[in-house]
Every structure is written in structure tokens, then in C-alpha cells.
Amino acid sequence: MKRTISKLLIVVMVFSMLCFYQAGKGTSVKVQADEPEGETTQIESTIPVEETTTPEVTTVPETTVPVTTAVVKKTPAKVTSLKASDVKNASLRVSWKKSSLATEYWVYRSVEGKSKMSSYKKYKTLKKTSFINSGLSQGTVYKYKVIAVRKADGYTTKSAGREITVMTDVDAVKSFKAKAASKSIKLTFKKNKKATKYYLYRASEKNPSFKKIKTLKKSKSSYTDKKVKSGQVYTYKLVTYRKKFGAKSYSLPKYTSAMTALSAPSKLTSKEKATKIVLKWKAVNNAEKYEVYKGKKLVKVTRKTTYTQKGLKKRHNYKFKVRAVRKYKGKTFKSAFTEISTSTTLGMKGSWIEINIKTQTLRMYIKNKLYVKTPIVSGNVGDRHTSKGTHSIIEKTAHRQLKGSYHGQTWDVTVNYWLKFTSDAQGIHDSTWRSAYGGNIYKTNGSHGCVNTPLGAMRKIFKKARVGMPVIVY
């Protein structure tokens, strides 16, 4: 019994402690004590317990506050790879790479003025990244500025501008022509007012690659090329160049060609016989053949530089002329004529001197072979002419003084060599006061009847001459 009561006291103490913490709550506590097996004792005690009030949490109704999101203005990137292409004299293409965030592009243009570029003016608004600008002027500078633009969320933002400078193609010159002479070619052309200068190139048959030969000032409209050879084809290329405001342009080349005139055959000589004449001349550069005329008649076309005319009359005068010929691209080019007046000989045997008044030539033959041939000046036309006929040397003197008078004219000269062949004192002698011989000098400025001869030729003639040698004048 005692044991049961002790357990009950413990339970009461624990219960009291619980009531302390849970005051105000009327709690019925049932305590069950240990009973002997088979016996249960239940004590029910109703103890007023003060109920503990838990503070009531007041829930505030949730209020929705509008949240304002800040709008970020996004700026497109600056365009890249801005370039001009397909540049022509009146149009060009401007292009660039797409800029991120851009919705369109604004294009501004500046045009060359007399002394400076004009201010930029808005030219186009584009969705694309390229455009063709047509209707431009040749050789003119244009500047373009492209800005990437973004229009979104009610705002407009722009990138920095990207610029490019370009010049349209400058036009080639007009009326580029070539006029050839034998040793020069004159080039002419119509100037391009926009040109800064011109570059001139040349090629030829023998050197077909073009090489620059001259830079011409913008004020020039012609050029004479003197470093050419006769009878050769030359081709010229002219390029117009312009530079302005940092931009430059080269025109398409303009071409022209010409063949220099063939030179007339030079050193045309004749070797005379009694019934034939042998002509010889120096080869002409680029000539393919030669035409030989006797008088006005074409007698021979030859590739050689010699020609023999047979079947002629003795002691007869003849005129021959020779010119060079060449064909090129279906056209025939001919040089000027080179002429010679000559004559057949007397056909004599032995040694003699013969003087041809018409050709103004003296020939001396020694043992049937021509020894000297020289131009001379014979007596003036009229009563002072040299006497024609068959004569002979009647006096051979060195350092001879010649004195005389004729119609108020007097002369007193000493000659180095003197060969008298007429009784009235006509003779063959040197004439150092003369600078020219042959041709038609004798008609206006001839001698008083003597045969004036160059000093060099006279020295040779005097050496072989002898008294009694025939002198035939015709």
C-alpha cells in the first residue's frame, strides 16, 4: 500500500509541473498508480489548469505593388568592311557588312568641289547593305559615310559613322592619232580636263612589249617621238591619270599606231659604159623591194640594191630614179625617190677625159677603165659656155696664175693645177673658192668657160693627165 502511495505522489509532482507550464488550460489528468497484479486503482483528479494563451498572429492581406522594368537602349555596332567596287566612269557600288542590332542604315554623301569636298548630305536610308550610285561624273571624287541605326522600343540609336573616299574612273583621251615621217612620229590627242598627267607607252614590231617613254603634263596635247627608225611600225598607248583629295584613277588605255616613212635610197651612184649604166644604192631599213625608173617609166622591181640598164646609146644622157617599197597589213608604203642624172660614155679606147655639160660631170678613163668621176661647174649659160667638141690638153701647169676680164668683170687668181684644152684659154682647174659642184649651178653661177673642179679630184686628174690627151665636151 505504501509503495502505491509513493508512486502516486511522484505522479502528482510531475503533473503539478506540467500545470505550471500549461496554466489556464483546464486539463483533466488521470493518474494511474501501480497496483498489485489483478488490482487496479484509478484516481481521477480534476485540477483547474490555467489556459495558456498563444499570441494570435495577425495575417496582413497581401498587397500587389506594380514592378517597373528599366528599358536598356541598345546601340548598333559600327559598320565594317565598307568598300567601293565596280567603279566606272559614271557609277559605282558601295557595300559593307551587316551591323548587329541595326534595323536600317543611313548613307551620307560628299561631292568634290573646286577646292574642297562639299558637306555631307543624307543620300539614302537602306535596309540592305549595298547600293549602286549611278549618274556620276567621270574622274570625280565622292565620299560616303554609313551609319548603322536601330529603331526599337520607341527609341532610335545610331552607331558612329564609317567613311570611304573613291574616285570614278577618269575617261581616256579622245582623237588619239599618229602621223609619221621618216625619222619621227607626231602624236596628237584631245585633252581630258580632269587629267593630272598622261603616261605614254610604246611598242614596235621588233619590241612588242610596251614600255613607258614619256610622262606628259596635263597641259600637253601632243608629243613628237624622234627615237624611231624608218620603215618600222610603232604602236602607242596613252593612259590618263588623275589624283585629287587622296583618291586616284587611271583611265583605260587609248591606242594608235603608225609606220615611219621609208627612207629614200641613199648613196645612189652610176657606173657608165658605152651602151649600159650600172646603178647602185644603199639598202633602206625595212624595205622589201625597190622600184627603178628610167625617166618616167618603171623598168625594174628588185629586191637587190643594184640594177643594170643595157641597150643604151653612146654618149647619151639619162635620168634614173629609185624608191623603196614595203607592204604592211595590206597597205603598200613607198619612199620618196632618189634621182641621178648620168650618161653613157663615148666608147673610146685608151685614156681620155670627157665632160658632160648636162649632168655637170667629168670622167677620166685610163686604159679603158674609169679612173676619176667628179661633179664640176662648167661655163655659164650663154656666150660664156664651155665649148663643146673634141679637144685635147695643150698645156699642163702647176700653180698657174689666171688673169682676165669679161664685160667689165676681171679676175686674177692662182690655181694649183691647170690643164688648158682650147686656144681661147678654156681649161680644167681646181677652184677652192667654191663650196658646191654639180646640179644647175652653172646656169646662174658658172665659170667664164673653164671647168671648175674640186681640189681632191683635180689632184688625181693632174697626176695622170698628159699633153695631147683627148678632152671631149658634150
Side-chain angles (χ1 to χ4, degrees), residues 198-432:
Y198 305 94
Y199 295 118
L200 181 63
Y201 301 80
R202 183 185 68 194
S204 66
E205 295 175 83
K206 295 183 179 179
N207 298 294
S209 298
F210 280 102
K211 290 185 179 180
K212 187 168 76 172
I213 61 170
K214 191 70 176 178
T215 299
L216 301 173
K217 296 180 180 179
K218 64 180 181 180
S219 59
K220 296 291 184 181
S221 60
S222 66
Y223 174 72
T224 300
D225 186 7
K226 296 181 179 179
K227 295 182 179 180
V228 294
K229 294 182 179 179
S230 63
Q232 190 168 154
V233 177
Y234 292 89
T235 301
Y236 296 89
K237 177 175 73 173
L238 189 64
V239 176
T240 306
Y241 170 79
R242 185 175 194 243
K243 184 177 182 181
K244 190 78 171 178
F245 299 126
K248 59 184 178 181
S249 175
Y250 297 85
S251 75
L252 293 174
K254 198 76 172 181
Y255 296 91
T256 189
S257 61
M259 189 179 85
T260 48
L262 288 165
S263 296
S266 62
K267 298 184 178 180
L268 177 59
T269 59
S270 63
K271 185 176 182 181
E272 302 87 357
K273 297 290 184 179
T275 58
K276 69 179 182 179
I277 293 175
V278 180
L279 302 175
K280 190 175 182 180
W281 57 91
K282 188 177 180 180
V284 174
N285 187 40
N286 293 309
E288 294 176 349
K289 52 190 176 182
Y290 303 92
E291 293 178 347
V292 183
Y293 285 76
K294 182 168 73 74
K296 295 181 179 181
K297 183 180 179 181
L298 176 64
V299 293
K300 185 69 176 179
V301 177
T302 179
R303 294 183 181 275
K304 298 179 181 179
T305 57
T306 185
Y307 169 70
T308 300
Q309 179 70 61
K310 298 179 180 179
L312 301 176
K313 297 179 180 180
K314 293 182 181 180
R315 206 177 74 174
H316 198 82
N317 297 318
Y318 295 95
K319 281 188 176 182
F320 291 91
K321 56 185 180 181
V322 183
R323 66 180 175 187
V325 180
R326 184 194 179 192
K327 283 189 176 181
Y328 179 74
K329 290 187 176 181
K331 292 184 178 181
T332 300
F333 297 86
K334 299 181 179 182
S335 75
F337 282 109
T338 297
E339 299 182 356
I340 188 171
S341 294
T342 185
S343 62
T344 50
T345 66
L346 298 174
M348 296 174 60
K349 291 184 179 181
S351 300
W352 73 95
I353 295 172
E354 59 183 67
I355 299 165
N356 190 316
I357 299 298
K358 190 170 184 178
T359 62
Q360 290 289 285
T361 304
L362 180 150
R363 299 181 187 86
M364 184 179 194
Y365 292 85
I366 303 297
K367 295 182 179 180
N368 301 318
K369 291 184 178 181
L370 182 65
Y371 172 62
V372 173
K373 179 182 177 181
T374 181
I376 50 95
V377 176
S378 64
N380 204 36
V381 175
D383 55 1
R384 289 165 48 196
H385 68 273
T386 302
S387 299
K388 294 181 179 180
T390 301
H391 312 282
S392 62
I393 296 175
I394 56 178
E395 181 184 340
K396 177 183 177 181
T397 308
H399 303 292
R400 180 75 154 78
Q401 185 179 18
L402 303 177
K403 298 177 66 175
S405 63
Y406 178 82
H407 293 299
Q409 294 181 346
T410 60
W411 59 91
D412 185 354
V413 295
T414 300
V415 297
N416 295 283
Y417 308 100
W418 169 249
L419 297 173
K420 180 180 176 181
F421 62 83
T422 67
S423 58
D424 60 351
Q426 289 186 1
I428 305 168
H429 62 79
D430 55 283
S431 48
T432 55

Side-chain angles (χ1 to χ4, degrees), residues 27-45:
T27 305
S28 296
V29 180
K30 293 183 178 181
V31 179
Q32 183 175 340
D34 288 342
E35 293 287 337
E37 243 183 67
E39 185 173 39
T40 299
T41 302
Q42 180 172 343
I43 301 175
E44 183 173 341
S45 175

Side-chain angles (χ1 to χ4, degrees), residues 93-162:
R93 176 187 290 275
V94 179
S95 62
W96 57 91
K97 284 188 176 180
K98 186 176 181 181
S99 173
S100 60
L101 302 178
T103 59
E104 62 186 40
Y105 302 92
W106 292 354
V107 179
Y108 295 80
R109 189 180 74 175
S110 170
V111 183
E112 172 190 339
K114 289 184 178 180
S115 59
K116 62 181 181 179
M117 298 297 294
S118 68
S119 300
Y120 273 119
K121 290 184 179 180
K122 193 171 183 182
Y123 177 67
K124 278 184 179 294
T125 298
L126 298 170
K127 299 288 185 183
K128 301 184 296 182
T129 56
S130 69
F131 69 95
I132 294 175
N133 193 180
S134 58
L136 305 178
S137 298
Q138 65 96 12
T140 302
V141 180
Y142 294 88
K143 290 182 72 174
Y144 297 90
K145 180 168 68 175
V146 180
I147 296 174
V149 180
R150 176 179 172 79
K151 289 184 177 181
D153 302 321
Y155 292 94
T156 299
T157 54
K158 299 180 289 185
S159 72
R162 179 81 69 183

